[in-house]
Amino acid sequence: MYSEPLIEEAKIPEKEIGALDLLFNQVGDVCKKILLGFYYENKSMKMLLKEFDFKNEQVLRNRKNLCMKKLKDLISSNQALLKSLKTSYVYE
């Protein structure tokens, strides 16, 4: 059965990490904190809601999705980085 590899399993070359970091910083502080909190720190929406001034969990969830879309669009618009990531991703 096929399953998506975990992000921790991905081996990303140093030059791509720098480029990804620059793009990640372009999504804005709130988006960066939401995405880091949810995906990297494994915080629940309820935990994140306490940290941010959103009306409710659904509004926060919508914002997280918009932030992720913005990050994906930034990565997609950088064709050199995208090509490099596609050819250099190695999973253990």
Side-chain angles (χ1 to χ4, degrees):
M1 182 170 144
Y2 176 78
S3 64
E4 287 289 320
L6 298 173
I7 193 72
E8 294 87 22
E9 295 173 345
K11 300 294 183 196
I12 303 173
E14 284 296 319
K15 65 180 181 175
E16 278 85 11
I17 290 175
L20 285 170
D21 192 42
L22 289 173
L23 292 178
F24 192 66
N25 286 325
Q26 291 180 30
V27 298
D29 287 337
V30 173
C31 280
K32 186 175 177 178
K33 289 176 184 176
I34 290 171
L35 294 174
L36 282 174
F38 187 78
Y39 291 106
Y40 184 72
E41 298 168 0
N42 295 316
K43 292 182 180 178
S44 68
M45 283 292 158
K46 289 182 192 229
M47 289 174 65
L48 289 171
L49 189 60
K50 291 177 184 177
E51 295 179 29
F52 297 96
D53 191 26
F54 288 99
K55 185 176 178 180
N56 57 45
E57 225 176 286
Q58 187 58 51
V59 173
L60 175 59
R61 194 173 312 279
N62 291 344
R63 180 66 180 268
K64 178 188 71 74
N65 291 336
L66 287 172
C67 293
M68 182 55 78
K69 182 182 179 333
K70 185 175 182 180
L71 182 59
K72 286 179 181 179
D73 289 346
L74 285 168
I75 292 170
S76 294
S77 68
N78 188 329
Q79 290 300 311
L81 174 62
L82 190 60
K83 183 178 179 181
S84 180
L85 286 172
K86 285 181 178 180
T87 59
S88 63
Y89 251 62
V90 178
Y91 298 97
E92 292 182 347

